[in-house]
Amino acid sequence: MKRLILMPLFLVIVLAMVIPNTYATTIKYAFVFIDRFPDEVEPLGFCTGNVVQVGAVVKPGDSPITEATAKNLDTGLVLKLAPRQIGTIYTNVFLHRPFPPLDPSKHPGVWEIRVKDEKGNEVVAKTHRLDKVGKMPYVRNIKASGNPLAPTITWDAPVEKDYPSECKIKYRVRLLKDVNNQFYRSKKLIYDLKEQIPEGFLKPEDIPDTYVRIECQCWDSTDMDHPVPVELKSETFRPLKEALGQ
């Protein structure tokens, strides 16, 4: 009897050793929003003006990803997506690059993201419905105070009348030197108008060429069933040295 009980357990152990663990690619979330960049950040490698950001954050499986696309379900437009690593702060982001040269007012609605791997597996996710076409105002009066190597970043909110009333405003803070050298982002989206930079991210030699970037995000309060109903963003930059008053 004891042998009969142990046999199935033995088989499970052997099979676990023989059959390799497999795990599928998943889309953590899909997004589409209109992002706004000021002209002065073009030397840092950013596109300027209003641009459409469409894509997904993907968790890769055990098979390489071979194709990723975004299709507007309202207009039929299809865009190819490619993996994009943003400094040390984002990995496994799939975006259309360069940014879509399209009028966002002509392509509102829901986008369907499809990701395929080398084994032919496919995973699909949908964005929220983009319908708040416009320009998100920039934040104002970015300042840095306290320890220059662990400063407190503060800013003033955009003027409320300048963005849609449905917007739920959230912020994120980044530190960067250019588009490919972004090395800090606040862990959580922020409702307060300040962020304490932890020690260890900045060295004295970083201060002259580091920029503070404040993302101001409009989340559609009428579409909170979707995990990321971001409609509009603005990106405000200020040199850290200037923000410190040096």
Side-chain angles (χ1 to χ4, degrees), residues 187-225:
K187 290 184 177 180
K188 297 181 179 179
L189 290 166
I190 301 165
Y191 297 95
D192 294 332
L193 301 174
K194 64 179 180 179
E195 166 75 354
Q196 172 71 54
I197 306 298
E199 294 183 0
F201 286 94
L202 286 166
K203 299 177 182 178
E205 59 268 25
D206 293 324
I207 292 177
D209 59 351
T210 291
Y211 286 76
V212 179
R213 171 181 173 179
I214 310 293
E215 297 179 30
C216 181
Q217 306 184 6
C218 162
W219 287 50
D220 188 349
S221 62
T222 67
D223 193 16
M224 297 304 288
D225 289 338

Side-chain angles (χ1 to χ4, degrees), residues 39-238:
D39 292 340
E40 58 265 27
V41 298
E42 188 173 9
L44 299 178
F46 292 93
C47 293
T48 60
N50 265 22
V51 296
V52 177
Q53 299 257 31
V54 57
V57 175
V58 177
K59 184 178 180 181
D62 59 351
S63 180
I65 294 170
T66 56
E67 183 182 353
T69 59
K71 179 180 180 179
N72 187 299
L73 297 181
D74 291 25
T75 66
L77 179 67
V78 177
L79 302 173
K80 290 186 177 182
L81 307 179
R84 172 75 174 168
Q85 180 164 333
I86 304 173
T88 59
I89 62 174
Y90 282 109
T91 58
N92 300 321
V93 178
F94 279 71
L95 286 171
H96 182 277
R97 285 295 178 95
F99 290 120
L102 56 88
D103 181 351
S105 66
K106 295 180 180 178
H107 294 279
V110 176
W111 291 73
E112 182 180 78
I113 310 298
R114 289 181 176 271
V115 178
K116 298 180 181 179
D117 67 19
E118 204 170 60
K119 293 179 179 178
N121 300 315
E122 183 176 80
V123 61
V124 180
K126 293 179 181 179
T127 70
H128 76 291
R129 176 167 292 278
L130 178 64
D131 57 11
K132 304 292 186 297
V133 175
K135 293 182 179 180
M136 189 66 198
Y138 297 114
V139 303
R140 301 164 294 150
N141 198 29
I142 296 175
K143 292 183 179 179
S145 59
N147 179 358
L149 301 184
T152 298
I153 308 297
T154 59
W155 60 93
D156 293 339
V159 178
E160 190 171 342
K161 67 178 181 62
D162 292 339
Y163 56 81
S165 60
E166 298 88 353
C167 287
K168 183 176 183 179
I169 302 299
K170 302 184 183 185
Y171 305 96
R172 195 183 291 279
V173 178
R174 303 192 199 187
L175 297 179
L176 59 106
K177 298 189 178 183
D178 57 51
V179 67
N180 294 314
N181 188 0
Q182 303 188 53
F183 56 91
Y184 174 81
R185 71 179 176 104
S186 49
K187 290 184 177 180
K188 297 181 179 179
L189 290 166
I190 301 165
Y191 297 95
D192 294 332
L193 301 174
K194 64 179 180 179
E195 166 75 354
Q196 172 71 54
I197 306 298
E199 294 183 0
F201 286 94
L202 286 166
K203 299 177 182 178
E205 59 268 25
D206 293 324
I207 292 177
D209 59 351
T210 291
Y211 286 76
V212 179
R213 171 181 173 179
I214 310 293
E215 297 179 30
C216 181
Q217 306 184 6
C218 162
W219 287 50
D220 188 349
S221 62
T222 67
D223 193 16
M224 297 304 288
D225 289 338
H226 192 276
V228 191
V230 181
E231 289 276 342
L232 306 170
K233 275 191 189 183
S234 68
E235 314 285 350
T236 310
F237 297 73
R238 192 177 188 190

Side-chain angles (χ1 to χ4, degrees), residues 11-22:
L11 288 174
V12 169
I13 295 172
V14 169
L15 287 172
M17 294 172 64
V18 172
I19 301 174
N21 291 326
T22 61

